Amino acid sequence: MGKLISIVIPCYNEEKTINIICEAIQKTMEQVDDMEYELLLVNDGSSDDTLEKMQKLAEKNTRIKYYSFSRNFGKEAAIYAGLCNAKGDYVVTMDADMQDPPELLPKMLEILETEPYDSVATRRVSRTGEPLVRSAFARIFYKLINRISDAEIVDGARDYRLMTRAMVQSVLSLSEYNRFSKGIFAWVGYRTKWIEYENVKRVDGETKWSFWKLLKYSIDGIVNFSNVPLMISSYLGIVMTFVSFLAIVFIIVRKMIFGDPVSGWPSLACIITFVGGIQLFCMGIMGQYLSKTYMEVKKRPHYVICCTNDDEAQKNK
Ligand code: UDP
Ligand code: MG
């Protein structure tokens, strides 16, 4: 019997693109011989007609399964839900907006079938069509995170990735609440082949990621995969203590030699605010780690599925 491939698509307000992507996938998979597919559409609490469209598509094509969240849980939760419910020997995750071209799938499948790899990942080599500020911040983020974390995170890597069952099981075994997929994929290892393509524009609709959402996501990425910020705050503490010790020695010596009266209140005020600022900054860093730990220990489910056509769905995870 042929192998089964599961295609996971997170969708948040994608009423304009969902039909296009499903049709494109259907067409692509017709060209792949000897392989069955299932299409897992995860509705991440859309406020538009995405769910209705999914239900209509599922009526026409029995390979389509939909899972609808009770609210917006975020793309990471949607991908996780898809991976939890996928049954395929191979699993691929892709965006709903055609920015991850389905036409690449046959090539990716062939690589896994014929070459000794466990995963085929994609990266875009250009960011044309994206706001300049966003590209600049993205570049800074990748430089920074690669410097301070153990997991190697590739610049321009997309969440468009084909994996073997073994790798999917490993990804699922990291059941952490704060998920940063790019880091998780890198962390589990396995032999990965990278293929590159030019950036493609979204077919319709608009991006769901505001600047602030991306900034928060990038902080998540750093906090999840690096302890360096914590180390920086303790190093800063050591340096400040050393500097203040030097200053004390300096003041005592000056007093003994020159007998200076007390002076320099403005500089004192500056020093106090400076040190206060650094303390708050370091507490903020600790707070970030603490809040992540808090969410982890609560062990809340990653998502809540309120409506699905898959009887065996793992509803709460
Ligand atoms: N997405 C999601 N939940 C969210 C935000 C986005 O499931 O809260 C999905 C969205 O439907 C799309 C994918 O994540 O399939 C990528 O989103 P988008 O194209 O808006 O991001 P961009 O390509 O601009 O980074
Ligand atoms: Mg997109």
Side-chain angles (χ1 to χ4, degrees):
M1 213 182 81
K3 286 186 171 157
L4 177 69
I5 159 170
S6 305
I7 303 168
V8 172
I9 307 184
C11 307
Y12 176 49
N13 292 346
E14 299 286 4
E15 61 176 9
K16 289 184 180 149
T17 58
I18 187 137
N19 287 335
I20 305 175
I21 183 103
C22 287
E23 200 172 307
I25 287 173
Q26 239 162 319
K27 228 179 245 160
T28 312
M29 289 311 295
E30 274 164 19
Q31 297 159 17
V32 182
D33 301 325
D34 203 28
M35 227 177 253
E36 273 298 316
Y37 75 95
E38 58 169 2
L39 188 50
L40 294 90
L41 303 174
V42 185
N43 174 28
D44 184 12
S46 304
S47 52
D48 62 2
D49 282 339
T50 306
L51 177 60
E52 287 73 21
K53 295 231 157 134
M54 280 180 184
Q55 287 168 330
K56 271 198 198 112
L57 284 163
E59 272 167 27
K60 274 186 258 158
N61 185 347
T62 51
R63 294 189 176 98
I64 295 182
K65 301 204 176 90
Y66 62 84
Y67 307 85
S68 190
F69 287 177
S70 55
R71 64 168 169 86
N72 180 246
F73 280 86
K75 182 182 178 186
E76 289 291 347
I79 290 181
Y80 187 65
L83 294 183
C84 285
N85 288 295
K87 297 180 188 66
D89 305 293
Y90 296 127
V91 180
V92 62
T93 50
M94 65 166 85
D95 286 0
D97 57 3
M98 299 288 282
Q99 280 189 304
D100 299 332
E103 307 86 74
L104 286 178
L105 256 184
K107 188 174 141 200
M108 290 161 80
L109 280 167
E110 199 190 309
I111 292 172
L112 280 201
E113 290 274 277
T114 56
E115 292 177 42
Y117 288 105
D118 305 291
S119 165
V120 183
T122 58
R123 92 178 255 269
R124 51 179 176 178
V125 283
S126 64
R127 285 180 171 267
T128 40
E130 210 184 59
L132 281 180
V133 185
R134 189 166 153 176
S135 309
F137 271 98
R139 214 158 291 137
I140 294 172
F141 167 71
Y142 283 110
K143 275 229 176 84
L144 190 70
I145 195 161
N146 277 316
R147 206 157 281 156
I148 65 178
S149 90
D150 330 322
E152 192 200 339
I153 293 160
V154 177
D155 187 1
R158 309 240 351 136
D159 289 335
Y160 186 20
R161 188 185 272 264
L162 179 67
M163 291 168 275
T164 56
R165 174 52 44 191
M167 180 161 174
V168 173
Q169 283 320 112
S170 305
V171 169
L172 288 177
S173 71
L174 272 74
S175 57
E176 58 213 68
Y177 187 78
N178 298 288
R179 296 187 79 76
F180 182 69
S181 280
K182 288 186 175 78
I184 291 175
F185 291 145
W187 191 92
V188 295
Y190 289 95
R191 293 161 298 181
T192 300
K193 173 147 185 164
W194 287 90
I195 53 179
E196 300 183 341
Y197 63 92
E198 293 285 323
N199 193 29
V200 191
K201 276 201 183 142
R202 187 179 239 292
V203 275
D204 207 338
E206 55 217 37
T207 176
K208 308 299 173 318
W209 293 88
S210 66
F211 182 76
W212 290 112
K213 218 169 160 187
L214 273 178
L215 187 69
K216 200 175 150 277
Y217 187 57
S218 53
I219 292 176
D220 271 0
I222 291 173
V223 172
N224 278 325
F225 283 92
S226 169
N227 287 325
V228 172
L230 279 177
M231 273 154 64
I232 292 176
S233 66
S234 44
Y235 288 151
L236 263 179
I238 294 170
V239 170
M240 293 297 295
T241 315
F242 187 67
V243 169
S244 68
F245 179 71
L246 286 185
I248 291 168
V249 171
F250 172 77
I251 287 168
I252 291 175
V253 169
R254 198 173 63 163
K255 168 82 181 153
M256 288 194 323
I257 297 175
F258 303 104
D260 255 2
V262 179
S263 67
W265 287 109
S267 55
L268 201 61
C270 292
I271 292 166
I272 290 172
T273 47
F274 176 66
V275 175
I278 288 188
Q279 278 178 343
L280 283 179
F281 174 70
C282 294
M283 266 169 64
I285 292 178
M286 272 166 56
Q288 284 289 332
Y289 284 87
L290 185 66
S291 70
K292 300 274 177 243
T293 315
Y294 184 50
M295 291 313 286
E296 293 296 342
V297 296
K298 281 204 226 185
K299 287 214 179 338
R300 285 187 181 165
H302 292 78
Y303 54 82
V304 177
I305 292 177
C306 62
C307 150
T308 171
N309 65 344
D310 180 359
D311 303 332
E312 298 157 43
Q314 306 180 15
K315 284 204 169 181
N316 303 315
K317 210 45 205 222

